[in-house]
Amino acid sequence: MIRSLLLISLYLTTFFVKSQNVDSLWKVVNNVKNHDTIRLATLYDLAWVFVYDNPDSTYTIAEMQRELAQQTKNKKWEAKAYNAMGAALQIRSAYPKAVEHYQKGMKIFEQLGDKSNMAGALGNIGSIYIELQKFDVALDYQLKCLKLVQEMGNLEGVASSLNNTCVIYTNMKQFDKALLYGEQAVEMYQHLKDYHGQASGYLNLGSVYSAMNKYSEAILNLNKALKIAVANEITTLVTKCKLDLAAVYLKTEDWLKVIVLASQAEREAKEQEDLDSHLAAVKYLASAYNKKQNHKEAYKYGSLTMELTDSLNKMKNESEIARMEAQFYYEKKAEADSLRNAEQQSMKDALIFAKEAQIEKDRIQKIALYGGILLMLISGGVMYNRFRFIRKQKNIIEAKNKETEEQKIIIEEKQKEILSSISYAKRLQEAILPPRHEIAQHLPDSFILYKPKDIVAGDFYWMEAVQGKVMIAAADCTGHGVPGAMVSVVCSNALNRAVNEFNVSEPGKVLDKTRELVVETFERSETDVKDGMDISLCLFDLKNKSLQWAGANNPLWIARKGEILQFKPDKQAIGKVDNPSGYTTHNIALEINDCVYIFTDGYADQFGGPSGKKFKYHQLVELMKSISVLPLQQQQAKLEKEFNNWKGPLEQVDDICVIGIKI
């Protein structure tokens, strides 16, 4: 089985009570004066205290919780008890009984409509089938889990499910699908700013490319994972990345890099007391030194490989004995409740088959290992006189490590400077946006839905009070992110000058003057700059219920009596264009309960939905029509919810700015 990194944090919704006194929790449980729900919740917390160190205690406490939940007819906590019992059995490797308990809990969660815990149970069952190497069954459960978390809009859950589906497809050798799901997982983790998830995603992509023998792509993705893990001090992932890189360099016969990476991983694994990673590191070192004909070091790491293999086999045997004892205990207990069904027998057969296959694999590996070590010992006696060459190689490695560390520090400092500059740019951009309380003062019945794609945005909103009237605009500058933000500062400044310095208030003439000022600014550049903005600009006279409006590529919509009145803009941007003409000012009489909407194109251009297509304006018209009767704040909430549902796991493609004003 290809050992990619499987994320289970989505599924085991644990409550770790580290600092709280266990005795005090038992007092809460044993006090019958406490409400049943409090006692059930406390039993659940207690069960998870012991889940990794003493899963038998977890099972016993969860069983107490289940009995109390059944007595009090509390279905929710009964299902949670089955979930905790399943986790204890899974950690004990009693897989058939674990599946049985997860399914009992899932059945109740389904009756209660609890999709979150249903997804957790599906994911846990899927992870069991991965351990049993029944990947087609694991995939079925994982895709069901993915569908549920997508329906709930649980972005963290979607990311974890995508990542785990990548692992399953990798083991099924369906590499194109593995890459598709793995890349989507990385994009989702980047959107969530989840650095642990990003590192694990790149690590899994590296495993896919390595299995495809595309070593340059594997190294690229593994280095990305390593960089993120180091920057965020995720020590276990740092070690895992180095081991996977060493494995790739073994295939490409770059022995020096294998030695550097495996040596670092060995030190880290010893500190973490991670026997599996320690064994992998010394195996890589023994192989690399043997290929380089450094037989003294090859002998050293070959001997250490034997020691660690024996230790690991001893631990596995002890674990297997404990697993068999747990299986016997749980099966005997289950006999009192019901007969085992056909699925349990099938699971047990799969477990036995997987165990026998693993024992045979270990036997063959041990024979091969001892034979290889014997050859290394014979060669070592002949080549021992090359000891001085070892020192020279060691000095080369240390010098390269020092150089790498210095480069890493320089890169990290540059990254900090870039992030600091972008954060400062955000503060500057926020300074050009009118405060929300000022907008509320002049337009009390209004909302602004503003969602930048990146830290800074090309979209912005603008407002100015002019002679008892209120001017407000939604603008979309060329690009997004830092370039868009820079253009937005130029365009916002031009709007301010047109109104305040040149005393222009008619919307069409304001846009004429703004274009003139923007073009004048960009013409100072030695290069031909064609950046600019699209804008929808309103001038409200609320006393007389009238509106003047002008638009550059961005329209105006008015919801009136269940219909949407659409006013088309002039088809020319604010900026340098061929054959420019003056912008048109539209005079519009307003009615009570009219809803006026101005917006940029980001909402309609968002990809998503069942087919991954654009939302488009015709859907936006229908959406505006349906929500126009609601209070403004509810309209904003509906717009945001519909956007997130449509986008789903996909990345936001552009900045979004939607403004609504009710008359």
Side-chain angles (χ1 to χ4, degrees):
M1 184 172 74
I2 298 171
R3 287 287 181 183
S4 300
L5 189 63
L6 182 69
L7 294 184
I8 62 171
S9 58
L10 167 65
Y11 309 127
L12 297 180
T13 53
T14 61
F15 293 85
F16 295 105
V17 185
K18 295 183 178 179
S19 59
Q20 192 168 2
N21 190 295
V22 172
D23 291 337
S24 66
L25 294 177
W26 278 117
K27 288 178 181 178
V28 174
V29 172
N30 294 325
N31 186 351
V32 295
K33 294 182 180 179
N34 287 327
H35 194 278
D36 291 333
T37 304
I38 294 174
R39 295 172 66 202
L40 287 166
T42 307
L43 279 168
Y44 192 60
D45 288 351
L46 272 168
W48 288 107
V49 171
F50 305 104
V51 67
Y52 292 111
D53 297 330
N54 191 349
D56 291 336
S57 296
T58 292
Y59 187 92
T60 302
I61 296 168
E63 195 170 36
M64 293 171 58
Q65 176 192 334
R66 184 199 65 185
E67 291 172 356
L68 178 58
Q70 288 175 340
Q71 291 169 12
T72 58
K73 298 182 179 180
N74 191 319
K75 287 291 186 181
K76 173 185 174 182
W77 287 104
E78 180 185 352
K80 281 178 172 284
Y82 280 124
N83 190 48
M85 294 162 76
L89 292 163
Q90 183 177 354
I91 289 167
R92 273 295 195 190
S93 301
Y95 296 136
K97 300 301 294 182
V99 170
E100 177 188 337
H101 283 73
Y102 283 139
Q103 287 179 335
K104 286 180 179 179
M106 186 167 62
K107 184 176 180 181
I108 298 173
F109 287 134
E110 188 173 8
Q111 292 171 354
L112 297 173
D114 187 342
K115 292 185 178 181
S116 177
N117 281 299
M118 283 173 61
L122 288 166
N124 289 333
I125 295 171
S127 67
I128 289 174
Y129 280 106
I130 290 174
E131 291 300 322
L132 294 175
Q133 300 185 41
K134 294 177 73 70
F135 301 114
D136 53 342
V137 183
L139 179 63
D140 182 57
Y141 278 101
Q142 193 60 249
L143 292 177
K144 288 178 181 176
C145 173
L146 178 58
K147 182 179 179 182
L148 277 179
V149 292
Q150 284 177 329
E151 288 175 359
M152 293 185 293
N154 180 349
L155 299 185
E156 292 83 357
V158 170
S160 294
S161 286
L162 290 170
N163 212 27
N164 292 343
T165 306
C166 168
V167 173
I168 296 170
Y169 276 126
T170 304
N171 281 283
M172 295 175 74
K173 302 190 184 308
Q174 295 186 30
F175 299 125
D176 289 342
K177 291 183 178 179
L179 290 175
L180 175 64
Y181 280 89
E183 288 166 356
Q184 289 180 3
V186 168
E187 289 179 6
M188 181 65 73
Y189 283 127
Q190 289 172 339
H191 173 72
L192 294 169
K193 295 182 173 57
D194 181 343
Y195 299 112
H196 187 287
Q198 289 176 42
S200 69
Y202 281 123
L203 197 150
N204 285 343
L205 288 173
S207 298
V208 179
Y209 282 118
S210 179
M212 297 170 70
N213 297 326
K214 294 185 176 182
Y215 300 126
S216 59
E217 290 92 338
I219 291 167
L220 176 65
N221 281 277
L222 291 171
N223 275 321
K224 287 180 180 179
L226 179 60
K227 179 180 178 181
I228 295 169
V230 169
N232 294 277
E233 299 180 352
I234 311 171
T235 54
T236 54
L237 283 186
V238 170
T239 306
K240 173 68 174 167
C241 291
K242 290 177 180 177
L243 286 173
D244 283 16
L245 278 167
V248 175
Y249 286 125
L250 268 177
K251 295 178 180 179
T252 60
E253 300 184 355
D254 192 336
W255 314 122
L256 182 58
K257 288 182 179 177
V258 174
I259 291 168
V260 172
L261 289 162
S263 297
Q264 294 173 357
E266 187 208 5
R267 289 194 300 271
E268 293 163 5
K270 286 169 68 176
E271 292 173 0
Q272 298 162 15
E273 298 182 354
D274 183 347
L275 195 57
D276 285 306
S277 296
H278 193 184
L279 177 59
V282 297
K283 279 184 177 179
Y284 295 155
L285 287 167
S287 297
Y289 279 121
N290 186 47
K291 292 292 185 181
K292 288 178 66 64
Q293 297 186 348
N294 186 339
H295 298 286
K296 180 183 177 182
E297 291 298 305
Y299 171 75
K300 169 186 170 183
Y301 286 107
S303 300
L304 187 54
T305 299
M306 292 176 62
E307 293 176 15
L308 292 174
T309 301
D310 289 340
S311 297
L312 195 58
N313 285 336
K314 182 180 178 182
M315 287 178 62
K316 287 180 178 178
N317 289 336
E318 291 173 352
S319 175
E320 178 63 14
I321 291 169
R323 186 201 67 76
M324 293 173 68
E325 289 175 348
Q327 185 78 3
F328 176 77
Y329 168 77
Y330 297 128
E331 286 182 357
K332 291 292 290 181
K333 187 164 186 61
E335 286 174 3
D337 298 328
S338 62
L339 296 174
R340 289 169 293 180
N341 56 32
E343 182 181 356
Q344 289 176 302
Q345 186 59 48
S346 175
M347 284 286 296
K348 188 172 181 181
D349 291 344
L351 179 64
I352 292 169
F353 174 80
K355 182 62 183 176
E356 289 175 348
Q358 186 62 43
I359 290 170
E360 178 64 18
K361 181 180 177 181
D362 290 344
R363 186 182 71 81
I364 294 170
Q365 287 181 341
K366 196 168 185 179
I367 292 170
L369 175 65
Y370 288 165
I373 291 171
L374 180 61
L375 288 173
M376 286 190 285
L377 288 173
I378 295 170
S379 302
V382 179
M383 301 297 296
Y384 187 72
N385 62 344
R386 301 189 64 185
F387 177 69
R388 284 178 294 180
F389 178 72
I390 297 170
R391 287 185 177 178
K392 183 178 178 181
Q393 289 296 99
K394 182 180 178 183
N395 291 336
I396 293 172
I397 293 167
E398 289 177 348
K400 284 188 173 292
N401 285 345
K402 183 178 180 181
E403 181 183 353
T404 301
E405 187 66 26
E406 289 173 352
Q407 291 175 347
K408 174 174 158 294
I409 293 170
I410 292 170
I411 291 169
E412 288 175 348
E413 287 300 317
K414 290 293 184 184
Q415 186 180 28
K416 288 179 182 177
E417 290 175 8
I418 292 169
L419 289 175
S420 176
S421 297
I422 294 174
S423 298
Y424 186 70
K426 180 183 180 183
R427 292 197 296 272
L428 289 176
Q429 188 178 41
E430 287 174 346
I432 72 170
L433 298 176
R436 294 292 181 96
H437 67 86
E438 285 189 12
I439 295 174
Q441 179 181 348
H442 293 286
L443 298 168
D445 206 359
S446 63
F447 74 80
I448 298 177
L449 175 59
Y450 185 59
K451 292 173 70 71
K453 178 183 183 297
D454 302 305
I455 297 175
V456 289
D459 283 15
F460 69 95
Y461 52 92
W462 177 88
M463 189 201 74
E464 191 71 35
V466 182
Q467 299 173 356
K469 301 178 183 179
V470 182
M471 190 172 286
I472 190 166
D476 179 4
C477 295
T478 308
H480 49 75
V482 174
M486 295 176 69
V487 177
S488 74
V489 172
V490 173
C491 294
S492 176
N493 182 57
L495 281 168
N496 288 329
R497 289 186 63 197
V499 174
N500 297 317
E501 183 178 335
F502 293 93
N503 298 317
V504 182
S505 60
E506 183 184 323
K509 295 187 182 303
V510 170
L511 295 188
D512 290 338
K513 192 63 181 179
T514 300
R515 176 172 60 192
E516 177 186 329
L517 295 171
V518 169
V519 171
E520 178 184 307
T521 300
F522 287 141
E523 279 182 343
R524 296 172 187 167
S525 172
E526 294 180 357
T527 58
D528 186 19
V529 179
K530 294 187 178 180
D531 292 307
M533 71 172 169
D534 298 334
I535 187 171
S536 186
L537 175 64
C538 295
L539 177 64
F540 284 95
D541 184 350
L542 297 177
K543 290 183 179 179
N544 297 314
K545 293 184 177 55
S546 64
L547 166 65
Q548 287 187 307
W549 169 79
N553 287 331
N554 283 352
L556 166 77
W557 292 355
I558 299 178
R560 178 180 295 169
K561 298 176 182 178
E563 296 296 328
I564 299 293
L565 308 180
Q566 300 185 39
F567 296 85
K568 294 182 179 180
D570 293 301
K571 292 298 181 181
Q572 52 181 346
I574 301 295
K576 190 174 182 180
V577 296
D578 296 328
N579 303 316
S581 59
Y583 291 97
T584 306
T585 297
H586 299 259
N587 294 288
I588 304 165
L590 299 175
E591 298 180 8
I592 296 293
N593 293 324
D594 279 354
C595 281
V596 179
Y597 301 108
I598 53 176
F599 44 84
T600 59
D601 60 2
Y603 199 110
D605 286 347
Q606 178 60 46
F607 288 98
S611 304
K613 296 182 178 179
K614 284 187 178 183
F615 192 83
K616 294 188 177 179
Y617 285 104
H618 70 86
Q619 278 201 95
L620 187 56
V621 169
E622 295 303 317
L623 177 59
M624 292 296 198
K625 189 186 298 183
S626 67
I627 67 173
S628 62
V629 296
L630 299 175
L632 265 293
Q633 298 311 311
Q634 290 185 29
Q635 290 189 35
Q636 180 179 351
K638 286 280 188 182
L639 282 169
E640 191 156 10
K641 181 179 179 182
E642 179 65 23
F643 176 81
N644 290 329
N645 289 341
W646 180 263
K647 180 173 71 68
L650 300 181
E651 182 181 1
Q652 183 175 331
V653 298
D654 199 358
D655 304 320
I656 290 171
C657 182
V658 181
I659 300 175
I661 302 104
K662 192 167 188 178
I663 305 304

